[in-house]
Amino acid sequence: MLYRQMGKTGEMVSILGFGCMRLPIDSKNQHVDRKRASSLLDYALESGINFIDTAYSYHGTNLQEGGDSEVFLGEYFQENTARKDVYLCTKLPSWLIEKKGDFDNFLEEQLKRLKTDYIDFYLLHNVKERNWSKMEDLGVLDFLDSAIADGKIKYTGFSSHDNIDLFKDVIESYNWNMCTIQYNYLDENIQAGREGLEYAAKREIGIAVMEPLKGGILASYTPPEVTEIWKKAPIQRKAAEWAFRYLWNHPEITTVLSGMNEMKHLVENIFCAEDGHPQSLTTEENELMEQVKKAYKDKIEVECSACDYCMPCPNGVNIPQCLSYLNQAAMLHDASNVYMQYHYNLKDEEKADKCLGCGLCEELCSQKLPIREKMKMAKKEFR
Ligand code: SF4
Ligand code: SF4
């Protein structure tokens, strides 16, 4: 396993992080399958993975209550003496913060669930414009300072899917140690994107990447055009390995989080992490990567830049997300995974079928896109 320094903390973190959002599930009770999840974690730790990423909400039935992921990890590390050798990263459910006391209440509850005295990396989960200003007003930064002073957390961070402007604002507001952003070779220009990656790195903030495989798409759904390009590579790699190697090629990225719920994937990812050195892709490989990006993008249905200028939709539709799913479906022959993600990740009111066709968004769209027409397409695609 290779390790990189998490920003200015000096902590050496494995370049592959163990994501605990999609652990194996026991079909009888829908809880984390302790036996299978423990075997995966045992193997991960034996192989040198030392960054474990979870959140209050992971493996919950809804976003309003704590899920089973932290509880499982608490039980696991009570049995397993490796707790002191790993970096445990968990996240405060930002969207549930209503009053000042909530910060401490959630942290105390999380420490209990994780059966630990301290959390190594404590992140504000899914910082968005609305919850960020609310948390700032309620004194979240003072709360983080005092949690560090009390020894309950060691380092701070935040995760975000919002736009680059908010990302920069949040970065500038505090002496963060890390951030978690969505990044992969098709998402260089959405959300924080490459600009955010470089912005954070310049400030010596460690970067964990989520969605390295774009929800599994870059591993499981390779269009034939892309397969043909990869065949030209001097070293043959699986699609997932190309996606990981692309990320590790960036010196700015500290660790790549992957929710590995099958031993086969874990073993493969650990194997390819052995060669995940920064700037290790050759010129020829980088050129092929550019061709692959182009091949995917040629299939794109709508050139939405995810700038968010059209938002909020008065009827609650999450326009950029609906368009992103439409694009993902257009790129693949089998869009069943995209269909699942669309229905799992979007709330009912955010889906394209809630579009009333008022046209307000089209007046605001920076790319002059026919959004109403695309919403009709998305409605049909994901019905
Ligand atoms: S046209 Fe549809 S998506 Fe656009 S603002 Fe109106 S309701 Fe929202
Ligand atoms: S304004 Fe246009 S380009 Fe920007 S997010 Fe909305 S639909 Fe996409």
Side-chain angles (χ1 to χ4, degrees), residues 1-16 50-51 87 121 155 176-179 200-201 203-208 248 250-256 276 278:
M1 181 57 60
L2 300 174
Y3 299 85
R4 294 188 189 179
Q5 191 169 303
M6 183 66 95
K8 51 190 171 276
T9 66
E11 306 289 358
M12 295 304 285
V13 169
S14 55
I15 62 167
L16 181 65
N50 68 359
F51 192 84
Y87 297 107
F121 290 92
Y155 301 111
W176 303 104
N177 300 114
M178 71 168 288
C179 61
R203 286 152 184 79
E204 293 187 89
I205 294 171
I207 297 161
W248 289 320
H250 293 64
E252 300 91 348
I253 293 174
T254 315
T255 187
V256 177

Side-chain angles (χ1 to χ4, degrees), residues 303-311 319-320 323 361 364-369 371:
E303 285 294 335
C304 170
S305 62
C307 65
D308 272 356
Y309 288 158
C310 56
M311 293 288 280
I319 302 164
L323 296 180
C361 54
L364 300 169
C365 178
S366 62
Q367 313 295 314
K368 307 270 177 272
L369 297 173
I371 299 175

Side-chain angles (χ1 to χ4, degrees), residues 310 312-317 319 354-362 371-372 375:
C310 56
C313 153
N315 212 39
V317 178
I319 302 164
K354 294 295 182 297
C355 170
L356 295 178
C358 69
L360 202 65
C361 54
E362 292 183 12
I371 299 175
R372 285 174 285 187
M375 287 299 137

Side-chain angles (χ1 to χ4, degrees), residues 87-374:
Y87 297 107
L88 202 47
C89 174
T90 194
K91 310 182 193 78
L92 174 85
S94 306
W95 57 91
L96 294 182
I97 299 298
E98 293 295 339
K99 56 186 188 310
K100 197 176 174 67
D102 288 345
F103 297 126
D104 282 309
N105 293 342
F106 277 115
L107 176 57
E108 290 304 327
E109 188 185 344
Q110 290 177 282
L111 288 166
K112 273 196 199 120
R113 286 152 59 84
L114 288 161
K115 299 187 195 299
T116 187
D117 299 332
Y118 67 97
I119 289 160
D120 298 274
F121 290 92
Y122 195 57
L123 274 55
L124 310 183
H125 197 176
N126 201 4
V127 169
K128 289 182 172 184
E129 212 132 327
R130 211 173 311 133
N131 65 36
W132 173 240
S133 53
K134 189 171 189 176
M135 286 193 292
E136 265 194 311
D137 291 347
L138 291 171
V140 69
L141 303 178
D142 291 340
F143 154 73
L144 292 174
D145 283 343
S146 58
I148 292 172
D150 294 344
K152 292 178 182 173
I153 63 178
K154 283 191 167 179
Y155 301 111
T156 60
F158 67 96
S159 71
S160 174
H161 286 281
D162 216 312
N163 62 55
I164 181 68
D165 293 337
L166 179 74
F167 182 79
K168 287 181 179 174
D169 281 353
V170 178
I171 290 268
E172 293 301 335
S173 67
Y174 190 67
N175 186 21
W176 303 104
N177 300 114
M178 71 168 288
C179 61
T180 298
I181 60 170
Q182 173 170 334
Y183 199 69
N184 56 64
Y185 67 76
L186 292 186
D187 288 342
E188 290 172 319
N189 296 312
I190 68 157
Q191 302 174 15
R194 183 181 283 271
E195 189 181 346
L197 186 77
E198 290 169 3
Y199 195 85
K202 268 195 196 127
R203 286 152 184 79
E204 293 187 89
I205 294 171
I207 297 161
V209 162
M210 56 181 154
E211 297 293 359
L213 303 174
K214 207 168 168 57
I217 285 171
L218 299 181
S220 314
Y221 303 98
T222 314
E225 298 87 335
V226 169
T227 306
E228 286 309 308
I229 298 167
W230 286 140
K231 276 186 190 162
K232 293 185 225 157
I235 300 173
Q236 290 299 296
R237 298 185 171 106
K238 289 189 173 175
E241 188 174 356
W242 282 115
F244 280 109
R245 290 297 302 272
Y246 162 82
L247 294 169
W248 289 320
N249 202 47
H250 293 64
E252 300 91 348
I253 293 174
T254 315
T255 187
V256 177
L257 305 174
S258 184
M260 298 162 284
N261 55 14
E262 284 181 36
M263 189 58 87
K264 181 173 170 280
H265 296 153
L266 178 61
V267 172
E268 282 175 1
N269 293 351
I270 288 170
F271 179 75
C272 74
E274 297 301 326
D275 280 332
H277 296 279
Q279 287 165 343
S280 56
L281 292 183
T282 64
T283 308
E284 188 181 356
E285 288 171 334
N286 277 319
E287 279 165 8
L288 289 175
M289 181 62 76
E290 290 306 314
Q291 290 177 31
V292 165
K293 285 184 208 170
K294 185 172 178 314
Y296 267 113
K297 286 180 179 173
D298 281 350
K299 292 181 143 284
I300 277 178
E301 178 60 45
V302 49
E303 285 294 335
C304 170
S305 62
C307 65
D308 272 356
Y309 288 158
C310 56
M311 293 288 280
C313 153
N315 212 39
V317 178
N318 189 332
I319 302 164
Q321 279 297 323
C322 287
L323 296 180
S324 166
Y325 286 118
L326 190 61
N327 275 336
Q328 292 174 34
M331 280 186 250
L332 304 167
H333 289 311
D334 176 359
S336 52
N337 189 31
V338 182
Y339 177 90
M340 265 166 43
Q341 284 192 48
Y342 176 87
H343 287 289
Y344 180 76
N345 291 333
L346 289 180
K347 294 186 203 132
D348 280 347
E349 61 270 27
E350 293 178 320
K351 291 176 183 167
D353 59 344
K354 294 295 182 297
C355 170
L356 295 178
C358 69
L360 202 65
C361 54
E362 292 183 12
E363 288 170 27
L364 300 169
C365 178
S366 62
Q367 313 295 314
K368 307 270 177 272
L369 297 173
I371 299 175
R372 285 174 285 187
E373 179 197 319
K374 300 299 173 188

